[in-house]
Amino acid sequence: MPKVKTNSGAKKRFSFTGTGKIKRHHAYHSHILTKKTKKQKRNLVHQTLVDTSNLKQVRELLNLR
């Protein structure tokens, strides 16, 4: 069997917690920031966990079957 490659876009976007959960960044924080409130921009800075509905897709992109 050949080696299975990890999706190179996914390995730049996701990281892991100490317990093995997958972290992600919030979207909508890269441009057009003038119309967003300070509170909205501040809350988009933090990382969060990948939702359970998307977990299977992300794990396939990272080859964590």
Side-chain angles (χ1 to χ4, degrees), residues 12-41:
K12 297 170 191 171
R13 286 172 170 81
F14 299 105
S15 58
F16 296 94
T17 63
T19 56
K21 296 176 183 174
I22 304 174
K23 295 190 294 187
R24 67 170 180 89
H25 289 284
H26 283 282
Y28 307 111
H29 191 64
S30 57
H31 58 87
I32 314 176
L33 298 173
T34 54
K35 62 178 74 172
K36 295 174 183 144
T37 63
K38 290 179 183 179
K39 181 178 180 180
Q40 185 179 4
K41 290 185 279 192

Side-chain angles (χ1 to χ4, degrees), residues 6-7 9-25 47-50 54-65:
T6 301
N7 183 283
K11 67 183 174 186
K12 297 170 191 171
R13 286 172 170 81
F14 299 105
S15 58
F16 296 94
T17 63
T19 56
K21 296 176 183 174
I22 304 174
K23 295 190 294 187
R24 67 170 180 89
H25 289 284
Q47 288 188 337
T48 186
L49 297 177
V50 173
N54 299 323
L55 203 55
K56 183 179 176 185
Q57 295 168 318
V58 174
R59 288 179 67 84
E60 284 183 8
L61 289 172
L62 296 172
N63 288 319
L64 301 170
R65 296 185 185 118

